[in-house]
Amino acid sequence: MKIQKDMPASRRAVLNAKGKILSAVIRASTRLPDEKLVTVVRRLAGTNQFPMGQKFLEKALISLKRGLGRASPRCRNKLIENLVINEMVRGQAQRNWITEQLGYEIPLLLVLSPTMRCPLRCYGCYSAEYARHSDLDYSVLDRILTEAKSLGDYFMVISGGEPFIYEGIYDLWAKHDDIYFQVYTSGVKLDDANVARLAELGNVMPCISVEGFEEETDRRRGRGHFKMLLDVFARLRNAGIPFGFSATATRENNELITTDEFVRFYAEQGALVGWYFQYMPIGRDPILDMIPTPAQRLSRYHRLQALRESHDILLADFWNDGPLVGGCIAGGRRYLHINNAGDVEPCVFCQLSTDNIHDKTLLDVLQTSRLLAAIRKRQPYADNYLRPCMMIDNPHVLQDVVDEARPKETCRGGALRLVHDLKPMLLDYASQWQSLVEPLWQERYAELYRKPLADAHALSESHAREHPPVEPRALREPAIRRRPIPGLDRRA
């Protein structure tokens, strides 16, 4: 299908006018009462199709207001122009325009991992089984970002590996200074010089990984790591650079990272946002005892609901906040991941692929990928957005997707274990989780989400008609076109 990327002039004129008004409102937001700000932005930008998503966005708007008050002038301007105007206004309109032509949603963000190299060796790391001997070439990254902007994506997440050791990363951020970048990092490279470079750029928000307090963080990341992070927080705070934290919930720290003490501590350090992940059983030798129990996960859900009400910091849990975004956002529906080999994955934790960005444009991937199509036609996986994940909440869906698309593993073994020897464990986990959250869904969400679910099913049924199952082809291993790293063993 030929896609017309340029919107009609009449649409662009309306967008430009709306963008100018919204920019002026956001710049004046520190002088507006919270309720007034929310009301004005709602009138300009409309409301979210998901009821809890609207509530979250209003909380995000208030957090943005506070962040603007603490940010340097350069960072403040980039938050407004790149994140709010380019991504949320102009970008959303462009994505809507292309979605109308395709008949299905396209990503509102990409996660890019230009390198999987990292100076740390944290046990249980989700990316530990990727090959580390080569990086994604700068020219390919540049092309991906250019193509993404043509589709309306102006918010990019950089992950890895440790992104700050990728040669040319600062040049990339400078060249694409109309994009807002969020970077997941260990913080080890955020010394005075690099923080100064970030302050000059203004369009990069580091999100720093923590495990709890000193004992928990040092246990997983190495002695002295926590104290080093305190220095990093101070540098970022003093430079007026917005930043956040990310925390992976395990069986060990699940309760700790959902305490008021934990959230208050990192908010006082200056964190604007906090992202919660769940430890996933991926890789050749996943540590199954690290997976939070279903009861722990439910406890985390309730605690995050309470923490959002009592703390100013913006908090989100990628496994428990399905009601905010309509379930799973992977598979190209709202986001996808491109790793250091150029393999296009549905999600950073679903390390499978049928496509490589060296062989296709980003739009080609969205239109032709067997794997992404097999996922999208099955979304939502359940009529309960508290069960959003096809890997641990609906493992039968993952099995069906693998059987249809026949993807290859993108790491050094382990991804397909989820549909083989780990499948009985996952089915048991999913059954326990369903028994815990089904009553909660019926009580709090079922009626609110009747229409969004009906719309989602209609979209997936339409997609399924246009993308019927195909006879699996023999998979071709793409030629390696990654950039070799001098001095590293290519067998690593």
mmCIF file of all heavy atoms in Angstrom, residues 403-445:
data_model
loop_
_atom_site.group_PDB
_atom_site.id
_atom_site.type_symbol
_atom_site.label_atom_id
_atom_site.label_comp_id
_atom_site.label_asym_id
_atom_site.label_seq_id
_atom_site.Cartn_x
_atom_site.Cartn_y
_atom_site.Cartn_z
ATOM 1 N N ASP A 403 4.040 -19.915 16.439
ATOM 2 C CA ASP A 403 3.660 -20.929 15.462
ATOM 3 C C ASP A 403 3.341 -20.315 14.105
ATOM 4 O O ASP A 403 3.660 -20.888 13.060
ATOM 5 C CB ASP A 403 2.429 -21.701 15.967
ATOM 6 C CG ASP A 403 2.752 -22.613 17.146
ATOM 7 O OD1 ASP A 403 3.947 -22.861 17.388
ATOM 8 O OD2 ASP A 403 1.806 -23.060 17.830
ATOM 9 N N GLU A 404 2.714 -19.131 14.101
ATOM 10 C CA GLU A 404 2.347 -18.498 12.838
ATOM 11 C C GLU A 404 3.519 -17.801 12.169
ATOM 12 O O GLU A 404 3.756 -17.963 10.964
ATOM 13 C CB GLU A 404 1.226 -17.480 13.064
ATOM 14 C CG GLU A 404 0.840 -16.745 11.793
ATOM 15 C CD GLU A 404 -0.303 -15.759 11.995
ATOM 16 O OE1 GLU A 404 -1.147 -15.987 12.878
ATOM 17 O OE2 GLU A 404 -0.357 -14.767 11.247
ATOM 18 N N ALA A 405 4.264 -16.992 12.934
ATOM 19 C CA ALA A 405 5.295 -16.135 12.321
ATOM 20 C C ALA A 405 6.645 -16.821 12.178
ATOM 21 O O ALA A 405 7.460 -16.409 11.357
ATOM 22 C CB ALA A 405 5.458 -14.857 13.142
ATOM 23 N N ARG A 406 6.910 -17.852 12.967
ATOM 24 C CA ARG A 406 8.197 -18.563 12.939
ATOM 25 C C ARG A 406 9.382 -17.608 13.031
ATOM 26 O O ARG A 406 10.276 -17.583 12.161
ATOM 27 C CB ARG A 406 8.319 -19.409 11.658
ATOM 28 C CG ARG A 406 7.240 -20.462 11.506
ATOM 29 C CD ARG A 406 7.359 -21.549 12.536
ATOM 30 N NE ARG A 406 6.331 -22.573 12.367
ATOM 31 C CZ ARG A 406 6.157 -23.607 13.179
ATOM 32 N NH1 ARG A 406 6.935 -23.723 14.242
ATOM 33 N NH2 ARG A 406 5.220 -24.485 12.955
ATOM 34 N N PRO A 407 9.450 -16.798 14.070
ATOM 35 C CA PRO A 407 10.560 -15.843 14.199
ATOM 36 C C PRO A 407 11.847 -16.525 14.626
ATOM 37 O O PRO A 407 11.840 -17.659 15.132
ATOM 38 C CB PRO A 407 10.060 -14.908 15.299
ATOM 39 C CG PRO A 407 9.219 -15.803 16.171
ATOM 40 C CD PRO A 407 8.527 -16.742 15.221
ATOM 41 N N LYS A 408 12.935 -15.820 14.455
ATOM 42 C CA LYS A 408 14.221 -16.292 14.972
ATOM 43 C C LYS A 408 14.515 -15.610 16.296
ATOM 44 O O LYS A 408 14.008 -14.521 16.583
ATOM 45 C CB LYS A 408 15.355 -15.994 13.983
ATOM 46 C CG LYS A 408 15.760 -14.539 13.869
ATOM 47 C CD LYS A 408 16.884 -14.368 12.868
ATOM 48 C CE LYS A 408 17.356 -12.916 12.794
ATOM 49 N NZ LYS A 408 18.136 -12.524 13.983
ATOM 50 N N GLU A 409 15.330 -16.263 17.104
ATOM 51 C CA GLU A 409 15.794 -15.636 18.339
ATOM 52 C C GLU A 409 16.838 -14.592 17.995
ATOM 53 O O GLU A 409 17.677 -14.793 17.123
ATOM 54 C CB GLU A 409 16.393 -16.673 19.279
ATOM 55 C CG GLU A 409 15.380 -17.673 19.824
ATOM 56 C CD GLU A 409 16.015 -18.673 20.774
ATOM 57 O OE1 GLU A 409 17.109 -19.182 20.443
ATOM 58 O OE2 GLU A 409 15.431 -18.941 21.840
ATOM 59 N N THR A 410 16.792 -13.466 18.683
ATOM 60 C CA THR A 410 17.737 -12.388 18.403
ATOM 61 C C THR A 410 18.866 -12.322 19.420
ATOM 62 O O THR A 410 19.802 -11.553 19.245
ATOM 63 C CB THR A 410 17.006 -11.034 18.394
ATOM 64 O OG1 THR A 410 16.307 -10.877 19.634
ATOM 65 C CG2 THR A 410 16.004 -10.972 17.254
ATOM 66 N N CYS A 411 18.746 -13.097 20.502
ATOM 67 C CA CYS A 411 19.807 -13.143 21.504
ATOM 68 C C CYS A 411 20.501 -14.501 21.386
ATOM 69 O O CYS A 411 20.213 -15.291 20.484
ATOM 70 C CB CYS A 411 19.231 -12.937 22.904
ATOM 71 S SG CYS A 411 17.924 -14.114 23.308
ATOM 72 N N ARG A 412 21.391 -14.785 22.291
ATOM 73 C CA ARG A 412 22.158 -16.022 22.209
ATOM 74 C C ARG A 412 21.427 -17.168 22.921
ATOM 75 O O ARG A 412 21.940 -17.811 23.817
ATOM 76 C CB ARG A 412 23.550 -15.806 22.809
ATOM 77 C CG ARG A 412 24.384 -14.821 22.015
ATOM 78 C CD ARG A 412 25.758 -14.632 22.590
ATOM 79 N NE ARG A 412 25.731 -13.978 23.890
ATOM 80 C CZ ARG A 412 26.805 -13.570 24.549
ATOM 81 N NH1 ARG A 412 28.005 -13.768 24.015
ATOM 82 N NH2 ARG A 412 26.717 -12.979 25.717
ATOM 83 N N GLY A 413 20.209 -17.428 22.489
ATOM 84 C CA GLY A 413 19.448 -18.543 23.032
ATOM 85 C C GLY A 413 18.611 -18.154 24.228
ATOM 86 O O GLY A 413 18.999 -17.326 25.045
ATOM 87 N N GLY A 414 17.435 -18.735 24.334
ATOM 88 C CA GLY A 414 16.615 -18.533 25.518
ATOM 89 C C GLY A 414 15.238 -18.000 25.245
ATOM 90 O O GLY A 414 14.295 -18.271 25.990
ATOM 91 N N ALA A 415 15.056 -17.221 24.164
ATOM 92 C CA ALA A 415 13.767 -16.585 23.919
ATOM 93 C C ALA A 415 12.673 -17.607 23.666
ATOM 94 O O ALA A 415 11.530 -17.450 24.119
ATOM 95 C CB ALA A 415 13.871 -15.607 22.747
ATOM 96 N N LEU A 416 12.994 -18.680 22.940
ATOM 97 C CA LEU A 416 11.981 -19.680 22.616
ATOM 98 C C LEU A 416 11.740 -20.660 23.759
ATOM 99 O O LEU A 416 10.823 -21.487 23.673
ATOM 100 C CB LEU A 416 12.361 -20.427 21.342
ATOM 101 C CG LEU A 416 12.264 -19.584 20.062
ATOM 102 C CD1 LEU A 416 12.776 -20.363 18.855
ATOM 103 C CD2 LEU A 416 10.829 -19.131 19.815
ATOM 104 N N ARG A 417 12.519 -20.557 24.814
ATOM 105 C CA ARG A 417 12.241 -21.390 25.985
ATOM 106 C C ARG A 417 10.868 -21.070 26.561
ATOM 107 O O ARG A 417 10.251 -21.911 27.218
ATOM 108 C CB ARG A 417 13.304 -21.176 27.065
ATOM 109 C CG ARG A 417 14.673 -21.749 26.749
ATOM 110 C CD ARG A 417 15.578 -21.675 27.961
ATOM 111 N NE ARG A 417 15.063 -22.504 29.051
ATOM 112 C CZ ARG A 417 15.544 -22.478 30.299
ATOM 113 N NH1 ARG A 417 16.530 -21.641 30.596
ATOM 114 N NH2 ARG A 417 15.032 -23.264 31.224
ATOM 115 N N LEU A 418 10.393 -19.840 26.316
ATOM 116 C CA LEU A 418 9.101 -19.438 26.851
ATOM 117 C C LEU A 418 7.953 -20.265 26.282
ATOM 118 O O LEU A 418 6.896 -20.386 26.913
ATOM 119 C CB LEU A 418 8.856 -17.957 26.571
ATOM 120 C CG LEU A 418 9.844 -16.973 27.205
ATOM 121 C CD1 LEU A 418 9.553 -15.564 26.744
ATOM 122 C CD2 LEU A 418 9.794 -17.061 28.718
ATOM 123 N N VAL A 419 8.135 -20.828 25.087
ATOM 124 C CA VAL A 419 7.079 -21.663 24.509
ATOM 125 C C VAL A 419 7.461 -23.147 24.547
ATOM 126 O O VAL A 419 6.752 -23.983 23.974
ATOM 127 C CB VAL A 419 6.757 -21.241 23.055
ATOM 128 C CG1 VAL A 419 6.181 -19.836 23.033
ATOM 129 C CG2 VAL A 419 7.983 -21.334 22.163
ATOM 130 N N HIS A 420 8.569 -23.452 25.226
ATOM 131 C CA HIS A 420 8.984 -24.846 25.356
ATOM 132 C C HIS A 420 9.028 -25.241 26.832
ATOM 133 O O HIS A 420 7.984 -25.417 27.458
ATOM 134 C CB HIS A 420 10.321 -25.057 24.642
ATOM 135 C CG HIS A 420 10.248 -24.836 23.165
ATOM 136 N ND1 HIS A 420 11.234 -24.214 22.427
ATOM 137 C CD2 HIS A 420 9.263 -25.140 22.274
ATOM 138 C CE1 HIS A 420 10.879 -24.146 21.158
ATOM 139 N NE2 HIS A 420 9.689 -24.698 21.044
ATOM 140 N N ASP A 421 10.204 -25.335 27.413
ATOM 141 C CA ASP A 421 10.283 -25.889 28.770
ATOM 142 C C ASP A 421 9.747 -24.954 29.853
ATOM 143 O O ASP A 421 9.357 -25.418 30.925
ATOM 144 C CB ASP A 421 11.723 -26.307 29.098
ATOM 145 C CG ASP A 421 12.719 -25.168 28.986
ATOM 146 O OD1 ASP A 421 12.764 -24.519 27.922
ATOM 147 O OD2 ASP A 421 13.448 -24.909 29.958
ATOM 148 N N LEU A 422 9.696 -23.644 29.590
ATOM 149 C CA LEU A 422 9.159 -22.724 30.591
ATOM 150 C C LEU A 422 7.649 -22.522 30.466
ATOM 151 O O LEU A 422 7.038 -21.878 31.332
ATOM 152 C CB LEU A 422 9.847 -21.353 30.479
ATOM 153 C CG LEU A 422 11.332 -21.299 30.841
ATOM 154 C CD1 LEU A 422 11.854 -19.883 30.701
ATOM 155 C CD2 LEU A 422 11.571 -21.814 32.250
ATOM 156 N N LYS A 423 7.061 -23.077 29.435
ATOM 157 C CA LYS A 423 5.637 -22.835 29.197
ATOM 158 C C LYS A 423 4.742 -23.315 30.344
ATOM 159 O O LYS A 423 3.822 -22.576 30.747
ATOM 160 C CB LYS A 423 5.211 -23.485 27.883
ATOM 161 C CG LYS A 423 3.772 -23.175 27.506
ATOM 162 C CD LYS A 423 3.406 -23.776 26.159
ATOM 163 C CE LYS A 423 1.941 -23.497 25.824
ATOM 164 N NZ LYS A 423 1.576 -24.079 24.500
ATOM 165 N N PRO A 424 4.937 -24.507 30.921
ATOM 166 C CA PRO A 424 4.068 -24.918 32.036
ATOM 167 C C PRO A 424 4.115 -23.941 33.212
ATOM 168 O O PRO A 424 3.081 -23.636 33.816
ATOM 169 C CB PRO A 424 4.615 -26.298 32.420
ATOM 170 C CG PRO A 424 5.250 -26.811 31.171
ATOM 171 C CD PRO A 424 5.850 -25.599 30.519
ATOM 172 N N MET A 425 5.313 -23.451 33.534
ATOM 173 C CA MET A 425 5.439 -22.488 34.624
ATOM 174 C C MET A 425 4.678 -21.197 34.304
ATOM 175 O O MET A 425 3.976 -20.649 35.159
ATOM 176 C CB MET A 425 6.916 -22.175 34.871
ATOM 177 C CG MET A 425 7.182 -21.199 36.026
ATOM 178 S SD MET A 425 7.120 -19.444 35.522
ATOM 179 C CE MET A 425 8.603 -19.330 34.520
ATOM 180 N N LEU A 426 4.784 -20.732 33.046
ATOM 181 C CA LEU A 426 4.114 -19.498 32.649
ATOM 182 C C LEU A 426 2.593 -19.665 32.640
ATOM 183 O O LEU A 426 1.860 -18.749 33.027
ATOM 184 C CB LEU A 426 4.598 -19.055 31.270
ATOM 185 C CG LEU A 426 6.059 -18.596 31.201
ATOM 186 C CD1 LEU A 426 6.456 -18.315 29.759
ATOM 187 C CD2 LEU A 426 6.291 -17.371 32.064
ATOM 188 N N LEU A 427 2.116 -20.807 32.188
ATOM 189 C CA LEU A 427 0.675 -21.055 32.210
ATOM 190 C C LEU A 427 0.140 -21.051 33.639
ATOM 191 O O LEU A 427 -0.953 -20.526 33.909
ATOM 192 C CB LEU A 427 0.363 -22.392 31.535
ATOM 193 C CG LEU A 427 0.494 -22.412 30.004
ATOM 194 C CD1 LEU A 427 0.404 -23.837 29.479
ATOM 195 C CD2 LEU A 427 -0.584 -21.547 29.359
ATOM 196 N N ASP A 428 0.903 -21.626 34.567
ATOM 197 C CA ASP A 428 0.485 -21.629 35.967
ATOM 198 C C ASP A 428 0.485 -20.208 36.526
ATOM 199 O O ASP A 428 -0.458 -19.808 37.235
ATOM 200 C CB ASP A 428 1.413 -22.528 36.781
ATOM 201 C CG ASP A 428 1.008 -22.589 38.244
ATOM 202 O OD1 ASP A 428 -0.118 -23.031 38.535
ATOM 203 O OD2 ASP A 428 1.818 -22.187 39.106
ATOM 204 N N TYR A 429 1.530 -19.443 36.209
ATOM 205 C CA TYR A 429 1.602 -18.052 36.665
ATOM 206 C C TYR A 429 0.408 -17.265 36.128
ATOM 207 O O TYR A 429 -0.257 -16.524 36.860
ATOM 208 C CB TYR A 429 2.913 -17.408 36.204
ATOM 209 C CG TYR A 429 3.060 -15.957 36.613
ATOM 210 C CD1 TYR A 429 3.791 -15.605 37.734
ATOM 211 C CD2 TYR A 429 2.448 -14.938 35.872
ATOM 212 C CE1 TYR A 429 3.913 -14.273 38.122
ATOM 213 C CE2 TYR A 429 2.562 -13.611 36.252
ATOM 214 C CZ TYR A 429 3.296 -13.288 37.372
ATOM 215 O OH TYR A 429 3.391 -11.971 37.748
ATOM 216 N N ALA A 430 0.134 -17.411 34.818
ATOM 217 C CA ALA A 430 -0.956 -16.660 34.190
ATOM 218 C C ALA A 430 -2.296 -17.019 34.821
ATOM 219 O O ALA A 430 -3.157 -16.143 35.020
ATOM 220 C CB ALA A 430 -0.986 -16.945 32.688
ATOM 221 N N SER A 431 -2.489 -18.294 35.145
ATOM 222 C CA SER A 431 -3.741 -18.720 35.765
ATOM 223 C C SER A 431 -3.913 -18.096 37.145
ATOM 224 O O SER A 431 -5.010 -17.616 37.492
ATOM 225 C CB SER A 431 -3.776 -20.245 35.870
ATOM 226 O OG SER A 431 -4.939 -20.681 36.532
ATOM 227 N N GLN A 432 -2.846 -18.079 37.924
ATOM 228 C CA GLN A 432 -2.910 -17.469 39.245
ATOM 229 C C GLN A 432 -3.191 -15.966 39.149
ATOM 230 O O GLN A 432 -3.999 -15.423 39.918
ATOM 231 C CB GLN A 432 -1.605 -17.695 39.992
ATOM 232 C CG GLN A 432 -1.333 -19.132 40.394
ATOM 233 C CD GLN A 432 -0.058 -19.247 41.203
ATOM 234 O OE1 GLN A 432 0.131 -18.537 42.187
ATOM 235 N NE2 GLN A 432 0.835 -20.133 40.784
ATOM 236 N N TRP A 433 -2.521 -15.312 38.196
ATOM 237 C CA TRP A 433 -2.705 -13.869 38.036
ATOM 238 C C TRP A 433 -4.142 -13.551 37.604
ATOM 239 O O TRP A 433 -4.766 -12.624 38.115
ATOM 240 C CB TRP A 433 -1.704 -13.325 37.017
ATOM 241 C CG TRP A 433 -1.826 -11.859 36.756
ATOM 242 C CD1 TRP A 433 -2.144 -11.267 35.575
ATOM 243 C CD2 TRP A 433 -1.644 -10.793 37.689
ATOM 244 N NE1 TRP A 433 -2.163 -9.903 35.701
ATOM 245 C CE2 TRP A 433 -1.854 -9.575 36.996
ATOM 246 C CE3 TRP A 433 -1.311 -10.739 39.040
ATOM 247 C CZ2 TRP A 433 -1.760 -8.332 37.599
ATOM 248 C CZ3 TRP A 433 -1.218 -9.495 39.661
ATOM 249 C CH2 TRP A 433 -1.437 -8.320 38.946
ATOM 250 N N GLN A 434 -4.663 -14.343 36.686
ATOM 251 C CA GLN A 434 -6.037 -14.121 36.237
ATOM 252 C C GLN A 434 -7.022 -14.249 37.397
ATOM 253 O O GLN A 434 -7.955 -13.441 37.517
ATOM 254 C CB GLN A 434 -6.403 -15.119 35.139
ATOM 255 C CG GLN A 434 -7.823 -14.938 34.615
ATOM 256 C CD GLN A 434 -8.148 -15.891 33.485
ATOM 257 O OE1 GLN A 434 -7.310 -16.697 33.056
ATOM 258 N NE2 GLN A 434 -9.362 -15.817 32.963
ATOM 259 N N SER A 435 -6.837 -15.243 38.253
ATOM 260 C CA SER A 435 -7.759 -15.427 39.374
ATOM 261 C C SER A 435 -7.714 -14.254 40.346
ATOM 262 O O SER A 435 -8.721 -13.937 40.994
ATOM 263 C CB SER A 435 -7.441 -16.731 40.112
ATOM 264 O OG SER A 435 -6.190 -16.653 40.794
ATOM 265 N N LEU A 436 -6.565 -13.566 40.413
ATOM 266 C CA LEU A 436 -6.433 -12.432 41.322
ATOM 267 C C LEU A 436 -7.033 -11.147 40.744
ATOM 268 O O LEU A 436 -7.625 -10.351 41.475
ATOM 269 C CB LEU A 436 -4.950 -12.196 41.653
ATOM 270 C CG LEU A 436 -4.268 -13.229 42.550
ATOM 271 C CD1 LEU A 436 -2.784 -12.907 42.681
ATOM 272 C CD2 LEU A 436 -4.914 -13.272 43.927
ATOM 273 N N VAL A 437 -6.862 -10.926 39.447
ATOM 274 C CA VAL A 437 -7.232 -9.620 38.891
ATOM 275 C C VAL A 437 -8.574 -9.609 38.171
ATOM 276 O O VAL A 437 -9.081 -8.531 37.862
ATOM 277 C CB VAL A 437 -6.136 -9.072 37.946
ATOM 278 C CG1 VAL A 437 -4.853 -8.840 38.706
ATOM 279 C CG2 VAL A 437 -5.920 -10.000 36.757
ATOM 280 N N GLU A 438 -9.156 -10.773 37.909
ATOM 281 C CA GLU A 438 -10.451 -10.762 37.234
ATOM 282 C C GLU A 438 -11.529 -10.089 38.085
ATOM 283 O O GLU A 438 -12.287 -9.246 37.568
ATOM 284 C CB GLU A 438 -10.865 -12.180 36.849
ATOM 285 C CG GLU A 438 -11.964 -12.227 35.796
ATOM 286 C CD GLU A 438 -11.551 -11.545 34.496
ATOM 287 O OE1 GLU A 438 -10.361 -11.634 34.113
ATOM 288 O OE2 GLU A 438 -12.425 -10.910 33.871
ATOM 289 N N PRO A 439 -11.620 -10.393 39.382
ATOM 290 C CA PRO A 439 -12.606 -9.668 40.198
ATOM 291 C C PRO A 439 -12.334 -8.167 40.249
ATOM 292 O O PRO A 439 -13.271 -7.358 40.228
ATOM 293 C CB PRO A 439 -12.446 -10.309 41.586
ATOM 294 C CG PRO A 439 -11.840 -11.647 41.328
ATOM 295 C CD PRO A 439 -10.947 -11.460 40.152
ATOM 296 N N LEU A 440 -11.057 -7.786 40.299
ATOM 297 C CA LEU A 440 -10.692 -6.375 40.324
ATOM 298 C C LEU A 440 -11.128 -5.683 39.036
ATOM 299 O O LEU A 440 -11.671 -4.568 39.055
ATOM 300 C CB LEU A 440 -9.184 -6.242 40.525
ATOM 301 C CG LEU A 440 -8.588 -4.839 40.522
ATOM 302 C CD1 LEU A 440 -9.162 -4.008 41.664
ATOM 303 C CD2 LEU A 440 -7.056 -4.907 40.622
ATOM 304 N N TRP A 441 -10.895 -6.348 37.909
ATOM 305 C CA TRP A 441 -11.294 -5.779 36.627
ATOM 306 C C TRP A 441 -12.805 -5.587 36.566
ATOM 307 O O TRP A 441 -13.286 -4.527 36.148
ATOM 308 C CB TRP A 441 -10.830 -6.671 35.478
ATOM 309 C CG TRP A 441 -11.292 -6.187 34.142
ATOM 310 C CD1 TRP A 441 -12.376 -6.618 33.435
ATOM 311 C CD2 TRP A 441 -10.714 -5.130 33.367
ATOM 312 N NE1 TRP A 441 -12.509 -5.916 32.262
ATOM 313 C CE2 TRP A 441 -11.497 -4.999 32.196
ATOM 314 C CE3 TRP A 441 -9.605 -4.301 33.542
ATOM 315 C CZ2 TRP A 441 -11.203 -4.056 31.208
ATOM 316 C CZ3 TRP A 441 -9.314 -3.370 32.559
ATOM 317 C CH2 TRP A 441 -10.100 -3.244 31.413
ATOM 318 N N GLN A 442 -13.539 -6.592 36.945
ATOM 319 C CA GLN A 442 -15.000 -6.506 36.884
ATOM 320 C C GLN A 442 -15.526 -5.390 37.783
ATOM 321 O O GLN A 442 -16.476 -4.686 37.425
ATOM 322 C CB GLN A 442 -15.621 -7.852 37.273
ATOM 323 C CG GLN A 442 -15.345 -8.970 36.287
ATOM 324 C CD GLN A 442 -15.848 -8.664 34.879
ATOM 325 O OE1 GLN A 442 -16.881 -7.998 34.709
ATOM 326 N NE2 GLN A 442 -15.121 -9.128 33.874
ATOM 327 N N GLU A 443 -14.910 -5.220 38.932
ATOM 328 C CA GLU A 443 -15.380 -4.223 39.886
ATOM 329 C C GLU A 443 -15.050 -2.804 39.453
ATOM 330 O O GLU A 443 -15.893 -1.902 39.553
ATOM 331 C CB GLU A 443 -14.778 -4.507 41.262
ATOM 332 C CG GLU A 443 -15.151 -3.482 42.328
ATOM 333 C CD GLU A 443 -14.424 -3.713 43.639
ATOM 334 O OE1 GLU A 443 -13.814 -4.792 43.815
ATOM 335 O OE2 GLU A 443 -14.451 -2.808 44.488
ATOM 336 N N ARG A 444 -13.819 -2.578 38.954
ATOM 337 C CA ARG A 444 -13.352 -1.214 38.721
ATOM 338 C C ARG A 444 -13.392 -0.765 37.261
ATOM 339 O O ARG A 444 -13.532 0.430 36.983
ATOM 340 C CB ARG A 444 -11.916 -1.050 39.233
ATOM 341 C CG ARG A 444 -11.776 -1.176 40.730
ATOM 342 C CD ARG A 444 -10.373 -0.761 41.149
ATOM 343 N NE ARG A 444 -10.183 -0.917 42.587
ATOM 344 C CZ ARG A 444 -9.060 -0.626 43.229
ATOM 345 N NH1 ARG A 444 -8.017 -0.157 42.544
ATOM 346 N NH2 ARG A 444 -8.960 -0.802 44.529
ATOM 347 N N TYR A 445 -13.209 -1.697 36.330
ATOM 348 C CA TYR A 445 -12.912 -1.277 34.960
ATOM 349 C C TYR A 445 -13.872 -1.776 33.887
ATOM 350 O O TYR A 445 -13.983 -1.152 32.828
ATOM 351 C CB TYR A 445 -11.504 -1.744 34.573
ATOM 352 C CG TYR A 445 -10.395 -1.207 35.433
ATOM 353 C CD1 TYR A 445 -9.751 -2.036 36.359
ATOM 354 C CD2 TYR A 445 -9.971 0.109 35.328
ATOM 355 C CE1 TYR A 445 -8.717 -1.557 37.156
ATOM 356 C CE2 TYR A 445 -8.942 0.600 36.109
ATOM 357 C CZ TYR A 445 -8.320 -0.236 37.025
ATOM 358 O OH TYR A 445 -7.303 0.249 37.802
#
